[in-house]
Amino acid sequence: MEARNVRDAILSVANRTKVYFSFHSYGQYWLTPWGYTSALPDDYQDLFDLAQSAVDKLTAVEGTPYKIGSSTNLLGLASGCSDDWAKGGAGIKYSYTVEMRDKGTFGFQLPANQILPNNLEVWEGVKVVAEAVMLM
């Protein structure tokens, strides 16, 4: 029921939606579709270039490095990813999963003193994407 409601909500706005984000922890990755295959979307270069601009701005805040690429090619096959569905099913051109801090030291329990810096740097990346798609 929940998946159907989320699907319906996204589809109800997909024709006027330019970006889809799914935020996760952890790993420091800015991931693009596809997760179910090593093939890349036809517009992968567009996805990658915008992600690179976002990650450049994100990294400038605290120096936190992020890797960019498709989830399959960076992490391995993962079917059922919402960014895949948002792009392939709902037709949202710019669809990303952002795996935030850290690289495994703290795992899913990021220390409180890293939450605000994490949010500030990720927000800078999100703003880059928002500003770019507003001009399209």
Side-chain angles (χ1 to χ4, degrees):
M1 183 67 118
E2 178 183 355
R4 181 176 48 205
N5 289 339
V6 170
R7 177 203 64 201
D8 293 347
I10 291 172
L11 287 175
S12 74
V13 297
N15 65 335
R16 59 186 191 274
T17 302
K18 295 182 179 183
V19 179
Y20 174 87
F21 282 108
S22 180
F23 294 98
H24 297 213
S25 63
Y26 56 91
Q28 297 170 205
Y29 295 99
W30 196 288
L31 301 172
T32 69
W34 306 116
Y36 67 92
T37 177
S38 61
L40 299 172
D42 292 340
D43 61 350
Y44 176 77
Q45 196 62 53
D46 294 342
L47 290 160
F48 183 89
D49 290 348
L50 185 52
Q52 184 67 66
S53 296
V55 167
D56 287 348
K57 189 74 165 191
L58 178 161
T59 301
V61 176
E62 295 276 336
T64 308
Y66 273 64
K67 291 185 179 178
I68 304 165
S70 75
S71 52
T72 296
N73 292 318
L74 287 179
L75 301 174
L77 286 171
S79 62
C81 301
S82 65
D83 62 332
D84 281 6
W85 181 83
K87 182 161 188 59
I92 300 171
K93 178 175 174 64
Y94 292 98
S95 183
Y96 299 106
T97 293
V98 179
E99 296 279 356
M100 299 180 289
R101 291 184 184 192
D102 72 338
K103 293 179 114 345
T105 302
F106 304 106
F108 296 109
Q109 296 183 343
L110 194 63
N113 68 348
Q114 289 191 34
I115 293 172
L116 188 55
N118 174 79
N119 295 352
L120 292 172
E121 67 191 8
V122 170
W123 177 239
E124 290 302 315
V126 168
K127 287 192 312 188
V128 167
V129 173
E131 290 167 0
V133 299
M134 285 174 45
L135 299 174
M136 295 177 182

